[in-house]
C-alpha cells in the first residue's frame, strides 16, 4: 500500500498509480542521478576503483564539471517515469484486488510473524516482473552512458534476470515495512514521517541488495566481458567484498531520491482524491 487515500476499484487504483507512479519516477531520477553516477563509476571504471565516493566526485567534477554527474540521465529520466508508473500500477492493482475481493481472514491478508502479510510479496512479485521488463533497456542505456560506452539496441535486455532479481529483493522489505508502518503506527501520516521512513527503509534495503545491484551493472555493461560467469565477475571486482563497491553513494542516493519521489506521489494521490477521481 503506497498511500493513505480511501481505495476505489482495482482498475481505478491501477490507473491512478500509473500516473502518480510516473511522477514518483521522474522526481526519483532528477534528485538521485548524481549519486547514482558516482556509484556506477566506482563499480565499473578502473580509474575510480580505488577511490572513495568523495574522491570520485571530486575527480568527476574536475574532469567534466556539473554535467558529469548527469551523464546518462536522459534514458533513466524517461524510463523511470514509465517503469515506476507501471510498477506502482501493478502493485496497487494487485494489492487492491486482494483487499476488495478477499475476506479479512483470508491467508493472503493474515499477518504472520507479527508483521508479514502475503498480499505484499504477491503484489511485489507482480510489480517487479512488470517493472523489470520495461526497466532493463533503460538501465542498460544509463549504465553505458555513465561509463562513457556506446550502447546497442541488440543488447538492450542484457542482464534482465539480474534486473528482476535485484528489483524483487530490493522491493520486498520496502513495501513490507511501509505496509506494516501504515497499518500499525502513525509514522506515515505526515509528510515528514513519509520522507524519513522512506529514506531509512529504502536506504537499508539498497544496502542489503547491493551485491545484486553490482552484478546487474556488470552484466549490463558487459564487464569484464559480455558472457562472463558469476565467478569471473566476482574476480573482476577483486573478490566478494568488491561487490559492495559504491554502496555508500548508492544507498544514500536510493534513500534520498525515493523519499522525494514518495512525497511527490503523496501530493499527486491527494490531488487525485480532491478532483473526485476515486
Amino acid at each position: 500500500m503506497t498511500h493513505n487515500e480511501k481505495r476505489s476499484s482495482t482498475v481505478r487504483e491501477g490507473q491512478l498509480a500509473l500516473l502518480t507512479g510516473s511522477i514518483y519516477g521522474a522526481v526519483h531520477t532528477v534528485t538521485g542521478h548524481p549519486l547514482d553516477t558516482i556509484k556506477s563509476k566506482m563499480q565499473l571504471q578502473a580509474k575510480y576503483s580505488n577511490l572513495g565516493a568523495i574522491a570520485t566526485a571530486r575527480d568527476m567534477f574536475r574532469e567534466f564539471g556539473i554535467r558529469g554527474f548527469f551523464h546518462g540521465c536522459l534514458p533513466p529520466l524517461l524510463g523511470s517515469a514509465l517503469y515506476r508508473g507501471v510498477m506502482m500500477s501493478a502493485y496497487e492493482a494487485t494489492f487492491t484486488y486482494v483487499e476488495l475481493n478477499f475476506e479479512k481472514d483470508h491467508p493472503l491478508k493474515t499477518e504472520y510473524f507479527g508483521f508479514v502479510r502475503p498480499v505484499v510479496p504477491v503484489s511485489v512479485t507482480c510489480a517487479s516482473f512488470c517493472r523489470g521488463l520495461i526497466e532493463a533497456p533503460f538501465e542498460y542505456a544509463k549504465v553505458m552512458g555513465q561509463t562513457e560506452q556506446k550502447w546497442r539496441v541488440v543488447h538492450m535486455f542484457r542482464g534482465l534476470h539480474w534486473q528482476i532479481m535485484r528489483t524483487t529483493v530490493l522491493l520486498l522489505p520496502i513495501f513490507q515495512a511501509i505496509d506494516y508502518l501504515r497499518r500499525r503506527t502513525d509514522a506515515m501520516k505526515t509528510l515528514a514521517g513519509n520522507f524519513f521512513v522512506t529514506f531509512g527503509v529504502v536506504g537499508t534495503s539498497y544496502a542489503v541488495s547491493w551485491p545484486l545491484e553490482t552484478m546487474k551493472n556488470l552484466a549490463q555493461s558487459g564487464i569484464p566481458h559480455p558472457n562472463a560467469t558469476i565467478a569471473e565477475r566476482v574476480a573482476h571486482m577483486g573478490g566478494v567484498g568488491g561487490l559492495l563497491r559504491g554502496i555508500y553513494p548508492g544507498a544514500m542516493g536510493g534513500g534520498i531520491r525515493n523519499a522525494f519521489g514518495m512525497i511527490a506521489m503523496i501530493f499527486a494521490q491527494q490531488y487525485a482524491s480532491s478532483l473526485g477521481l476515486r
Side-chain angles (χ1 to χ4, degrees):
M1 187 179 198
T2 60
H3 60 81
N4 290 323
E5 304 302 300
K6 184 177 180 181
R7 292 185 169 270
S8 181
S9 67
T10 298
V11 173
R12 181 59 57 86
E13 288 299 328
Q15 292 170 334
L16 290 174
L18 184 62
L19 174 61
T20 60
S22 296
I23 294 172
Y24 181 112
V27 172
H28 173 282
T29 297
V30 171
T31 56
H33 195 78
L35 284 170
D36 191 70
T37 301
I38 294 171
K39 172 267 298 182
S40 290
K41 287 184 176 294
M42 290 175 67
Q43 288 177 327
L44 303 175
Q45 290 190 282
K47 64 180 178 179
Y48 299 107
S49 62
N50 294 318
L51 298 180
I54 295 176
T56 297
R58 189 186 303 120
D59 195 63
M60 286 170 55
F61 183 76
R62 187 184 303 116
E63 184 174 358
F64 301 108
I66 291 295
R67 66 183 178 85
F69 294 89
F70 290 91
H71 280 165
C73 185
L74 186 58
L77 179 61
L78 299 175
S80 182
L82 176 60
Y83 63 71
R84 283 191 168 81
V86 170
M87 177 190 79
M88 291 297 185
S89 180
Y91 181 87
E92 286 295 335
T94 305
F95 189 98
T96 301
Y97 180 83
V98 174
E99 192 76 6
L100 298 180
N101 293 281
F102 291 79
E103 298 296 328
K104 187 176 181 179
D105 59 352
H106 189 277
L108 283 175
K109 298 169 73 172
T110 300
E111 192 173 75
Y112 299 93
F113 311 111
F115 70 98
V116 177
R117 294 199 301 165
V119 62
V120 175
V122 168
S123 300
V124 164
T125 301
C126 292
S128 297
F129 184 76
C130 292
R131 168 178 164 171
L133 289 176
I134 299 173
E135 182 182 20
F138 291 100
E139 278 289 295
Y140 162 71
K142 179 196 76 173
V143 168
M144 297 298 279
Q146 287 174 327
T147 54
E148 302 154 56
Q149 300 183 73
K150 292 183 178 180
W151 57 273
R152 299 175 61 189
V153 174
V154 69
H155 295 149
M156 63 194 306
F157 286 102
R158 190 163 65 188
L160 175 62
H161 60 297
W162 288 108
Q163 186 84 43
I164 294 176
M165 266 195 297
R166 184 271 281 165
T167 301
T168 303
V169 172
L170 176 66
L171 294 183
L172 271 173
I174 294 173
F175 281 97
Q176 194 66 71
I178 288 176
D179 175 68
Y180 175 83
L181 291 171
R182 283 193 189 282
R183 291 184 295 107
R184 293 299 191 92
T185 74
D186 294 330
M188 307 292 287
K189 292 185 178 180
T190 65
L191 287 178
N194 274 278
F195 183 91
F196 287 110
V197 166
T198 303
F199 174 79
V201 169
V202 173
T204 301
S205 189
Y206 263 83
V208 170
S209 62
W210 200 253
L212 289 173
E213 172 73 14
T214 302
M215 293 298 288
K216 173 192 77 70
N217 286 343
L218 289 169
Q220 289 174 328
S221 62
I223 296 174
H225 61 84
N227 297 315
T229 64
I230 293 176
E232 287 176 318
R233 289 179 179 137
V234 171
H236 175 78
M237 296 301 291
V240 175
L243 297 180
L244 298 178
R245 190 180 300 162
I247 189 172
Y248 297 117
M252 183 70 71
I256 290 173
R257 63 193 180 189
N258 279 280
F260 278 113
M262 177 66 82
I263 297 302
M265 188 171 67
I266 287 171
F267 276 115
Q269 290 281 6
Q270 291 175 342
Y271 188 60
S273 293
S274 71
L275 293 177
L277 296 179
R278 286 194 157 82

